[in-house]
Amino acid sequence: MNIPRQATRSIVLSLLPCAAFLAGCGSPSYQRVPFAAVDQPIPAGRGRVVVLRSDQLAGSSRPIYVRSGGREIGRLASNDYLSWLVAPGKKVIDVVFDRPLIDGADLEGIGAVEVEEGGTTYVEVVLQDAPELSAEKSRVGLPIVVPLSDSEGARRVAAAQAAPVDTDR
């Protein structure tokens, strides 16, 4: 069977987005610090931080890296979460969206949260989408740290997957 060159080219070009998506799917979540299960009591003098990644389609094939207190907390794929214990007080959460090189440099977002002793602070990382923008296309994919209420955070965690702990890297 002899397929015309133009048809072959069209087929290959139509498969490229699928291949690119599947290549990005090899970025699983992990957590570098000890995991704090959300269904367990919080020790005295500590609070819990939970960072969820939204389940949005935009950017879903690329990871988001989470840092806080000068250390890497972990990497998140879509609809996954990290959970760890901290001393109470104000905490800065630094998130970096690992954009494809074709789109430019990685994008970084920063959020500050107040963690109470014995409490859980929930935040969600959402990537800025194009319709919300004016003319600044370079900001598409900017990770935004959004606080969640306790009830919404607990609901979202129940529907999400905890990132596996991997402290060996």
Side-chain angles (χ1 to χ4, degrees), residues 20-158:
F21 176 77
L22 291 174
C25 290
S27 301
S29 297
Y30 60 75
Q31 182 163 326
R32 295 274 190 243
V33 298
F35 181 74
V38 294
D39 60 349
Q40 297 296 309
I42 299 170
R46 307 295 277 169
R48 181 174 28 235
V49 176
V50 177
V51 176
L52 296 128
R53 179 163 179 190
S54 71
D55 193 20
Q56 66 189 115
L57 183 59
S60 62
S61 67
R62 306 295 295 186
I64 289 179
Y65 294 89
V66 178
R67 295 187 301 253
S68 185
R71 64 185 175 163
E72 181 185 16
I73 303 301
R75 178 171 73 185
L76 285 173
S78 290
N79 205 37
D80 287 352
Y81 71 93
L82 305 168
S83 178
W84 71 101
L85 296 174
V86 297
K90 189 172 188 173
K91 305 297 173 198
V92 174
I93 299 172
D94 181 29
V95 293
V96 177
F97 175 51
D98 183 23
R99 288 199 316 181
L101 289 176
I102 195 167
D103 290 338
D106 294 344
L107 291 174
E108 184 174 7
I110 297 175
V113 296
E114 188 67 35
V115 180
E116 295 180 10
E117 181 175 352
T120 299
T121 300
Y122 295 95
V123 296
E124 178 181 35
V125 180
V126 179
L127 297 179
Q128 187 165 328
D129 205 358
E132 299 170 11
L133 300 174
S134 54
E136 258 194 278
K137 291 189 183 229
S138 65
R139 309 288 288 174
V140 172
L142 178 71
I144 301 167
V145 179
V146 179
L148 297 173
S149 68
D150 289 348
S151 60
E152 180 64 11
R155 185 186 72 75
R156 295 286 312 282
V157 163

